[in-house]
Amino acid sequence: MKKTLAFILSSLLAVYGTQAKEPKWSNAKFLKPDEAIAKMEIADEGIEVKTFVAEPDISETIAFCFDHRGRLWTLENMNYETRGKHLTTKAKNRIQIFEDTDGDGVFDTKKTFIDGLTFSSGIAVGFGGVYVGAPPNLIFIPDENGDDKPDSEAEVLLDGWGIRDRHETLNSFIWGPDGWLYGCHGVFTQSNVGKPGTPIKDRQYIDGGIWRFHPVKKEFEVFAEGLSNPWGFDFNDVGDGFTTVCVIPHLFHIIQGGIYDKQSKPNVNPYVYENIKTIRTHRHKSAHGGARFYLADTLPKKYHDQLFMCNIHEHAVLTDIMERKGSGYIGKHGENFVITNDKTWVGFSVEIGPEGGIYILDWHDQDICGNAVKFKDSSRVYRIALKGHKSPKVGNLRTMTDAQLAELQKHTNDWYVRHARVILHERASKNKLNTKLVHGKLKEMLKTAKTTGKKLRALWALYVTGAEQSFFLDNLNHEDEYVRSWSIQFLSEEKAPSAALEKFTKMAKEDSSPVVRRYLASALQRIPHNQRWATLAALSKHAEDLDDHNMQKMVWLALEPMVPTNVEKSLELAANSVMPKLQDFTARRALVTYTATHAYEAAPTNSSIEKLAPGFKLKINSNKNNKIYMESFRNKPVFQILPKTRRLNAELYKQFTVPMGKKTYLKYTVSHNPHETWKLVVSVNDKIISEQEITAKTTQEGWMSESVDLSEFAGQNITLKVINAEWYRKLSYGYFNELIVVSE
C-alpha cells in the first residue's frame, strides 16, 4: 500500500509540479546496476528493465545510437570535468560498438571503433561512416567497407561550434524524414557555424534552437530558434518535430522557421515581438533529456506515438501525449513510465531499438547538473521491454536489395523504416539505386496505404531518393492534408519553388486544413521576398486562425524581413488582414524602420570617445558608467564600455559611406580586465562580420590590435557597430585605446 501511495504521489507531482527548489546534487550512495533496477517502479507490470551495458564496459557516456545492424554505439566523453571545462591535455574519448547476439537484452560482444577523440557531444551512424559532434567541429569518420575501423582521418564538415557550456553545444543527433541530420543547441553557448574557411559574415549564428545538416549537399541551416537547453528531438508519426528542454516549460512543437520562447536571452532577431510558446498543459520538474516517439510494435498499443523522455530532477522516464489542435498540438501528460527512486540516476538520452525496446542512457552521478563528476567512469544504458522479450536477428540492412529496403518502409517498427530510408538516400546520392524499381514500389505504397503515417513514409522515401518535382506538384491535390503539407515543404526546400507559387496562393485561400496553412507559412520563409505577397495576403485573411497557437506568428515571421524595404505595401497587407497581431507587429516594425536613423542621432556624443574613436557614438542603452575615460590603463589612454544587462549590449556605432576605389578598414586596439573576458563583435547593417574573444589567451601583454576589411561595402551607406557583448553569461568592461576607420 505504501508503495502504491508513493507512486500516486509522484504522479501528481509530475502533473502539478512543485514549488520547492530543485536540488542539483545529493549524497545518495552509488548503486550497482542490479541494485538500481531493484528500486525502480514500472507503470506496466508486463514490462521489465535490464542493464544492456554499464561500467566498467562504458564510462561517462554522453550519447548513443544504433547502426543498420542493430548494434548500439556509445560515445564516451571521459574528458568531461564540469560544464565549464574539460580535460585538454589528453584526448581520451572513444566510440564503442556493442552487440546483443542472443537477443536477451544484454550485450554479448564489444569492440572499440575509435579512441583518442577530443570533447564530444553527439553521434549518428549513416552514409558509410559516423557523424560526431566534437566542438568546435562536426566531423565525419568514414567506414565505407563496414569493417568497424575508420577508413581514414576524420573529415571536418563544419566548424565554429561553441563550447562555453559543455551541456549546450551540438547534441542529440537524429536523421529526419527529409534526409537531413538534425540536432539541438543550447542558449548559453554561442556558435557561428560554417564550412571550414567560411568568413564570419557568411556563417550562421545559433545560440539556442534546432539545426540541420544535409549529408549530400553539405549545407547547414538553423531550422528553428529559441528554447533553453534542448537535449532531445524527434519526429512523430506524421513527421512533426518536438523537443524537450530544461528550466523553461519542457515541451515544444518545432516548426521549420519558428522562433520559440527562450531562456534568459533575447531573440537573435529583435523584431519577432512574440515567440511561439510551449504546448504543454502540465508541469514536470525542470530538467528533461531525450525524446523519442514510440513508433514500434511490441509494447502495448496505448504507447503508440507517445513521446518518451527522461526527467533528470524526478529521476524518471515520463511520457507525454500529443493531441491535435488547429495547426499544431497540445501536449498532455501520459504517465510516469518508470520511477527510479534513485537520486543518482541522470537519464538524458532515449532510443528505440530494433526489437521495439526503449533504451535509456543514465549518466549516473550525485551531481545531476554536471557541475562536477562525483562517480568517475560510470554510466549505463538500460533496456525497457516486455518481460522475456527476445530481440530478433537484424542482419545487415546495408546488404539488402533496393526492393527489400523499399518494402521496409511498410514495417511496423519505425526503426527499420528510418534506417532503410537513410540507406536508400545514400544509394541514390551515389547513383547506386534502381530508381525506377524503388519509385514504382513507393508510389504504389503511397496509393494503397491505409494510414497517413504509412502514406508519408512512402512520400519521404520518394523525396530522399530524388522523385521528380512534378510528382510533388501533383500531390498538392492529394486528399490527405499531411501529404499536401509535406509536398509543400519538399517543393520549397530549394528556396525557389516558382512552379508551385500560383498553387500555393490558391491553397492559402481555399485549403480547409490549418496544417496545410501552417506548412505554407513556414515555406514562405524560403521563397524570395517579391514572390511572397499573394500567398501571405491569402493566409492573413483566415479568421479561423486567430486563436491558433502558431499561425499569426508564422505569418508575421514570413512578412517581417520584407517590411523595411516595403513599408507601404506591408502596412496595406496588414490593414487588409483579419489578424490583429499582424497589424500590430507590422506597424511597430514600420515605425522602427522609419525612425532608425533619427534614433541613432539621439544617442549622446562624448568627447572622451571622440578622442580615441573619431566619428563613433555610444548607443544610449549602455551602462551609465560607460563614458569613463582613463589616462592610463596598461600604460595607454582608454575609454571603457560595459553592457547594461545581458540583454542590452554596449554598442559603439558610426554611420558613413564607404569610399569607392579604396581599401577601407576598421582598426582597433583593445584590452580587458585581468582574469576577465569580453566578446568584441563587429557588424555592418546588423550583420556580424567579425567576432573576437578578448582575454589573456588571445592578447599579447594584455592588448589586441586587429583590423577588419570593409572594402566589400564600397559605395554603400552603412551603420558600423562595434559591440561589447556578454561572454558566457558574464558582463565585463571592454577597454579601447584606438577605434578608427581608415581608407587607403
Side-chain angles (χ1 to χ4, degrees):
M1 182 66 180
K2 288 182 179 178
K3 195 172 184 180
T4 302
L5 287 172
F7 192 83
I8 293 171
L9 178 60
S10 63
S11 298
L12 289 172
L13 285 172
V15 176
Y16 297 109
T18 177
Q19 298 301 314
K21 189 174 181 180
E22 296 169 0
K24 297 181 179 180
W25 60 275
S26 74
N27 290 318
K29 72 174 186 176
F30 180 90
L31 296 178
K32 295 179 180 178
D34 288 346
E35 294 174 325
I37 291 174
K39 294 188 67 174
M40 294 179 184
E41 298 177 59
I42 306 170
D44 193 306
E45 293 182 355
I47 292 173
E48 66 180 358
V49 179
K50 285 189 174 183
T51 305
F52 181 84
V53 63
E55 69 282 338
D57 292 295
I58 57 174
S59 176
E60 295 178 48
T61 303
I62 200 165
F64 75 107
C65 68
F66 284 95
D67 69 4
H68 47 275
R69 293 167 57 181
R71 302 179 303 173
L72 190 146
W73 293 54
T74 57
L75 177 62
E76 298 168 50
N77 199 344
M78 293 174 283
N79 285 5
Y80 186 94
E81 293 181 288
T82 72
R83 296 182 69 150
K85 66 177 183 176
H86 66 275
L87 184 67
T88 57
T89 56
K90 184 179 180 182
K92 59 178 183 177
N93 294 347
R94 68 187 178 193
I95 297 173
Q96 293 194 91
I97 307 170
F98 295 88
E99 186 171 10
D100 175 11
T101 58
D102 60 11
D104 66 351
V106 179
F107 90 92
D108 299 297
T109 66
K110 69 174 183 177
K111 61 177 70 172
T112 298
F113 175 72
I114 192 173
D115 56 16
L117 295 173
T118 60
F119 181 91
S120 308
S121 55
I123 184 171
V125 176
F127 280 78
V130 187
Y131 294 81
V132 179
N137 303 322
L138 172 66
I139 64 175
F140 178 72
I141 306 172
D143 181 22
E144 180 65 36
N145 60 10
D147 65 354
D148 301 329
K149 298 177 183 178
D151 296 338
S152 62
E153 292 293 318
E155 175 188 2
V156 177
L157 301 171
L158 300 169
D159 61 15
W161 299 95
I163 196 174
R164 293 178 181 90
D165 188 327
R166 272 72 178 164
H167 287 202
E168 308 213 16
T169 187
L170 68 169
N171 70 83
S172 304
F173 296 0
I174 183 173
W175 292 105
D178 50 11
W180 293 67
L181 180 67
Y182 284 76
C184 302
H185 192 289
V187 295
F188 293 121
T189 289
Q190 295 81 45
S191 297
N192 283 288
V193 182
K195 296 177 183 178
T198 301
I200 187 70
K201 64 184 179 64
D202 295 326
R203 291 177 174 269
Q204 294 194 55
Y205 177 81
I206 182 170
D207 67 350
I210 306 298
W211 55 268
R212 64 179 188 169
F213 173 79
H214 199 282
V216 180
K217 302 174 186 176
K218 303 294 191 290
E219 294 177 357
F220 170 82
E221 293 183 355
V222 177
F223 188 76
E225 298 178 23
L227 309 170
S228 61
N229 180 18
W231 201 281
F233 181 67
D234 196 14
F235 303 89
N236 70 355
D237 191 44
V238 294
D240 279 328
F242 296 81
T243 191
T244 59
V245 302
C246 299
V247 183
I248 63 176
H250 73 280
L251 182 64
F252 289 84
H253 168 210
I254 301 300
I255 302 166
Q256 185 178 27
I259 298 179
Y260 293 84
D261 272 357
K262 193 174 186 180
Q263 181 192 351
S264 301
K265 306 255 294 183
N267 293 324
V268 175
N269 178 357
Y271 309 117
V272 174
Y273 299 130
E274 186 174 334
N275 296 334
I276 302 174
K277 302 186 183 305
T278 181
I279 62 169
R280 74 171 191 185
T281 60
H282 56 289
R283 294 176 63 182
H284 298 156
K285 290 186 177 182
S286 73
H288 293 75
R292 285 294 180 269
F293 283 94
Y294 192 75
L295 298 172
D297 50 4
T298 56
L299 293 188
K301 288 185 179 180
K302 68 177 181 177
Y303 294 114
H304 182 76
D305 214 16
Q306 288 193 21
L307 183 65
F308 283 75
M309 71 199 85
C310 300
N311 186 293
I312 295 168
H313 283 100
E314 291 181 30
H315 310 284
V317 180
L318 310 177
T319 70
D320 277 355
I321 300 169
M322 308 305 138
E323 184 178 292
R324 268 286 305 274
K325 183 179 181 182
S327 73
Y329 300 82
I330 56 174
K332 296 183 175 181
H333 180 60
E335 64 185 28
N336 294 352
F337 188 64
V338 176
I339 298 175
T340 68
N341 298 306
D342 175 9
K343 291 184 178 180
T344 66
W345 186 91
V346 187
F348 59 79
S349 188
V350 184
E351 291 287 350
I352 309 299
E355 85 290 16
I358 300 169
Y359 290 74
I360 305 292
L361 172 61
D362 172 18
W363 177 260
H364 204 74
D365 202 272
Q366 290 174 328
D367 191 315
I368 64 175
C369 289
N371 294 312
V373 178
K374 301 291 188 180
F375 295 159
K376 193 72 174 171
D377 299 326
S378 69
S379 61
R380 298 92 187 265
V381 175
Y382 294 109
R383 188 192 81 152
I384 309 172
L386 292 178
K387 287 182 177 178
H389 182 69
K390 285 280 190 179
S391 301
K393 293 286 186 182
V394 174
N396 186 344
L397 270 59
R398 280 173 64 86
T399 64
M400 287 187 172
T401 66
D402 295 345
Q404 289 172 322
L405 293 171
E407 283 295 317
L408 282 179
Q409 298 309 296
K410 302 175 182 178
H411 204 287
T412 53
N413 182 351
D414 222 45
W415 184 93
Y416 289 91
V417 177
R418 295 181 181 199
H419 281 272
R421 185 169 59 237
V422 172
I423 297 168
L424 287 169
H425 188 188
E426 179 191 0
R427 290 183 185 177
S429 72
K430 297 175 179 177
N431 296 316
K432 294 181 179 180
L433 185 74
N434 186 336
T435 304
K436 182 177 181 180
L437 171 69
V438 169
H439 284 189
K441 284 183 170 292
L442 293 172
K443 288 179 180 179
E444 181 64 21
M445 178 180 169
L446 175 62
K447 182 179 179 181
T448 60
K450 296 181 179 180
T451 67
T452 294
K454 294 304 181 189
K455 293 178 191 294
L456 289 174
R457 279 149 184 78
L459 189 78
W460 297 333
L462 281 160
Y463 176 72
V464 301
T465 55
E468 61 277 10
Q469 187 181 58
S470 60
F471 170 78
F472 296 104
L473 283 168
D474 290 343
N475 276 292
L476 295 177
N477 298 308
H478 199 280
E479 62 182 3
D480 191 295
E481 62 181 335
Y482 276 99
V483 173
R484 299 196 301 277
S485 296
W486 273 97
S487 295
I488 291 166
Q489 178 167 327
F490 290 152
L491 287 164
S492 306
E493 285 288 2
E494 301 304 321
K495 304 182 181 181
S498 55
L501 289 175
E502 185 176 342
K503 179 62 175 177
F504 282 2
T505 301
K506 181 178 175 62
M507 296 173 78
K509 291 177 181 177
E510 301 174 2
D511 202 299
S512 61
S513 168
V515 174
V516 168
R517 295 195 295 274
R518 185 240 297 172
Y519 271 80
L520 285 167
S522 180
L524 285 175
Q525 293 189 42
R526 305 180 69 81
I527 295 173
H529 290 182
N530 63 353
Q531 297 178 6
R532 297 183 188 182
W533 293 103
T535 305
L536 263 173
L539 287 174
S540 74
K541 294 177 181 177
H542 283 272
E544 63 269 40
D545 289 338
L546 295 187
D547 294 326
D548 189 85
H549 189 76
N550 307 302
M551 284 305 300
Q552 290 200 65
K553 298 168 188 176
M554 289 302 297
V555 171
W556 167 243
L557 291 176
L559 176 61
E560 183 276 324
M562 300 157 60
V563 176
T565 53
N566 300 275
V567 172
E568 291 187 9
K569 194 170 184 178
S570 300
L571 289 170
E572 181 182 4
L573 185 151
N576 291 327
S577 80
V578 298
M579 294 183 166
K581 291 184 188 296
L582 190 67
Q583 295 166 356
D584 176 33
F585 297 165
T586 306
R588 290 166 64 182
R589 185 69 178 92
L591 184 63
V592 170
T593 301
Y594 181 75
T595 62
T597 302
H598 303 286
Y600 276 107
E601 288 174 355
T605 302
N606 184 270
S607 58
S608 299
I609 293 175
E610 185 69 23
K611 290 179 183 178
L612 304 176
F616 280 88
K617 296 180 180 179
L618 181 64
K619 194 172 180 182
I620 200 167
N621 71 353
S622 300
N623 185 282
K624 64 181 180 181
N625 295 322
N626 275 350
K627 293 175 282 187
I628 295 176
Y629 176 79
M630 301 175 66
E631 288 289 349
S632 181
F633 178 84
R634 300 189 195 272
N635 299 317
K636 295 182 180 183
V638 297
F639 65 85
Q640 59 181 352
I641 64 173
L642 175 73
K644 187 172 184 179
T645 68
R646 283 164 55 190
R647 292 176 179 268
L648 293 175
N649 296 320
E651 294 183 4
L652 296 157
Y653 72 93
K654 181 174 183 175
Q655 293 177 312
F656 65 101
T657 300
V658 180
M660 299 283 289
K662 295 182 177 182
K663 285 285 187 180
T664 299
Y665 300 91
L666 169 71
K667 295 186 176 183
Y668 58 80
T669 299
V670 295
S671 188
H672 61 95
N673 269 328
H675 312 299
E676 291 189 5
T677 299
W678 62 284
K679 185 166 70 172
L680 189 154
V681 179
V682 179
S683 72
V684 172
N685 298 335
D686 291 323
K687 185 174 183 180
I688 295 173
I689 62 171
S690 175
E691 283 188 323
Q692 291 278 5
E693 291 181 3
I694 314 301
T695 179
K697 293 182 179 179
T698 61
T699 58
Q700 293 185 357
E701 297 183 354
W703 292 99
M704 174 186 288
S705 295
E706 293 284 349
S707 63
V708 179
D709 193 349
L710 304 176
S711 304
E712 66 177 289
F713 304 103
Q716 300 181 38
N717 185 22
I718 68 170
T719 298
L720 173 66
K721 292 182 183 179
V722 180
I723 302 166
N724 176 357
E726 66 142 321
W727 183 84
Y728 191 42
R729 314 187 205 182
K730 295 180 180 179
L731 309 180
S732 299
Y733 279 101
Y735 296 87
F736 288 79
N737 168 254
E738 180 183 58
L739 184 66
I740 59 173
V741 176
V742 297
S743 297
E744 46 190 47

